[in-house]
Amino acid sequence: MENKLIDNCMKLGFGMMRLPRVEGTKDIDLEHTKRMVDAFMEAGGKYFDTAYVYEGSEAATKAALCDRYPRESYYLADKLNASDFACKSEEEAKNEIKVSLERTGAGYFDFYLLHGIDSGNKDKFDRYGIWDYMRKLKEEGLIRHYGFSFHSTPEHLDELLTEHPDTEFVQLQINYSDWEDPLIASRQCYEIATRHETPVIVMEPVKGGKLADPPQQVKDILLQASPDASFASWAIRFTASLPNVMMVLSGMSTMQQMEDNLSFMRQLKPLNEEEKGVLEAACKALMQFDGIACTSCHYCTPGCPMDIHIPEIFAVMNVYKMYGNLKEARNDYGWRPGGEKASACIQCGQCEGACPQHLPIISLLEEVVETLEK
């Protein structure tokens, strides 16, 4: 699919969400950030991504990029967030771009996104008239292209792209770990965007850094195939090799990460068939951990009197079992599954009777309560 939105640009985007911090503080290290921006621009990078809700990021983008480089030399993406934590009214939501333009000093945004659409906030974007507002901003020249970032189901994505066919791009979470994951459904979402002829920008290609330091059995497979390649390079090249991917964002926070990413993205070599086979083996290794053998068939959910989204809860628990990050698992558990928490279970047993895998769902939900709710 021909990309007409970005010209003469490396396929790696600089995500300005995880910028370096001054040691011992939460303050962004501006001098370090400037050096990273310089290295990125010198290597042929042009695409930068920030957001209204990324604390300190827009001001850092101004200091490190917008105040130091000609406006036509880079692309800048920003985002409007209509969730409750970001705004309390339509007026506040529509004022975000004014604040973002003041913080960045960019004059306009090349790419402007409805930020993080999911089933829980879609109605606010609709009620506030944000879709029409995007078109208005484009007519006024404050944005060049509009799209949205997305955290929901493939069916929901299909619905949104059908309702809004003038969407110019979509930002999706895609990585080799989530490619067939039933909760994230990266492959299905990618295929829906492709079917709608909507270019894709990839976020979380390294799954928040997890694939830069994967479980040992995955490391062994990747090192045997290519001892000198970083683990992150496998993850980023996987997404960058997809034909309908326009840009791959990497939330780099050190110069070392920047240099590694640039080493293989300056002149991107798409994965060959042998390398694809290596990643398939890595994915199989990821699945061979002591997880919950839920296939996400959802046979258990329609009859649940408490509206517990059991497969989605088990998917979050499996991520914890795989990577061992309890804080992040509890955070994901707080918003990803939807429905009631595992502790709402009344142990009626209908789910166990419906489960084709014959899982002890009641005891597994108790494990979730002990692990993620205590």
Side-chain angles (χ1 to χ4, degrees), residues 92-330:
E92 287 185 11
K94 291 182 175 178
N95 192 56
E96 287 181 20
I97 188 171
K98 178 180 177 181
V99 175
S100 293
L101 286 170
E102 289 175 351
R103 287 175 179 170
T104 61
Y108 63 90
F109 295 122
D110 301 277
F111 297 86
Y112 200 54
L113 293 80
L114 288 75
H115 192 182
I117 293 186
D118 59 31
S119 58
N121 61 21
K122 177 183 181 296
D123 66 317
K124 290 194 70 176
F125 285 103
D126 292 340
R127 193 166 68 250
Y128 290 170
I130 300 301
W131 300 93
D132 288 336
Y133 185 59
M134 289 286 196
R135 300 177 185 106
K136 180 174 179 289
L137 291 174
K138 185 174 179 179
E139 291 173 0
E140 293 175 351
L142 293 178
I143 65 175
R144 298 290 173 86
H145 307 288
Y146 94 90
F148 59 88
S149 60
F150 181 78
H151 297 281
S152 190
T153 65
E155 294 78 15
H156 189 192
L157 178 61
D158 190 34
E159 175 187 329
L160 287 171
L161 292 177
T162 300
E163 290 178 357
H164 305 284
D166 59 332
T167 299
E168 295 175 90
F169 64 97
V170 62
Q171 190 161 301
L172 302 174
Q173 177 170 326
I174 299 177
N175 55 69
Y176 70 79
S177 176
D178 291 331
W179 190 241
E180 297 293 353
D181 181 272
L183 185 61
I184 307 299
S186 289
R187 177 184 58 79
Q188 291 176 270
C189 288
Y190 169 79
E191 290 174 351
I192 286 169
T194 302
R195 189 167 71 244
H196 282 272
E197 298 186 350
T198 306
V200 170
I201 295 174
V202 171
M203 56 183 165
E204 302 293 356
V206 195
K207 200 172 174 65
K210 294 183 180 70
L211 298 180
D213 185 24
Q216 189 59 49
Q217 64 268 38
V218 174
K219 290 181 179 179
D220 292 342
I221 292 169
L222 300 182
L223 287 171
Q224 183 177 2
S226 182
D228 297 327
S230 68
F231 302 125
S233 72
W234 283 98
I236 292 175
R237 288 180 61 226
F238 170 81
T239 59
S241 299
L242 296 168
N244 190 36
V245 165
M246 177 173 72
M247 185 63 55
V248 179
L249 299 178
S250 179
M252 297 168 279
S253 54
T254 68
M255 182 60 77
Q256 182 180 7
Q257 293 171 356
M258 172 70 72
E259 291 172 348
D260 178 52
N261 287 350
L262 293 177
S263 71
F264 57 85
M265 289 298 287
R266 277 191 185 93
Q267 295 181 322
L268 171 65
K269 294 182 179 179
L271 294 177
N272 57 37
E273 291 305 313
E274 182 179 351
E275 290 172 319
K276 291 177 183 177
V278 170
L279 281 184
E280 287 178 8
C283 287
K284 289 180 181 178
L286 281 173
M287 292 187 290
Q288 290 174 356
F289 66 102
D290 184 24
I292 301 170
C294 174
T295 62
S296 195
C297 67
H298 284 85
Y299 289 3
C300 60
T301 53
C304 177
M306 304 308 293
D307 188 34
I308 301 173
H309 295 194
I310 296 167
E312 286 75 15
I313 286 175
F314 287 169
V316 172
M317 189 66 174
N318 277 341
V319 170
Y320 164 66
K321 286 173 174 284
M322 184 184 301
Y323 295 106
N325 190 325
L326 183 58
K327 181 179 179 181
E328 186 167 322
R330 286 176 172 170

Side-chain angles (χ1 to χ4, degrees), residues 31-92:
E31 294 308 310
H32 192 164
T33 301
K34 288 177 183 179
R35 292 194 297 272
M36 292 175 69
V37 167
D38 292 345
F40 186 70
M41 294 286 283
E42 184 179 350
K46 294 182 180 181
Y47 192 99
F48 296 82
D49 174 272
T50 185
Y52 174 81
V53 297
Y54 296 168
E55 187 175 358
S57 174
E58 290 176 322
T61 300
K62 181 180 192 299
L65 175 69
C66 301
D67 287 349
R68 301 172 64 240
Y69 286 90
R71 183 61 185 88
E72 66 277 7
S73 66
Y74 59 87
Y75 298 102
L76 183 58
D78 211 306
K79 309 178 186 74
L80 185 159
N81 196 307
S83 298
D84 289 338
F85 72 88
C87 64
K88 302 300 182 185
S89 67
E90 177 180 339
E91 181 181 4
E92 287 185 11

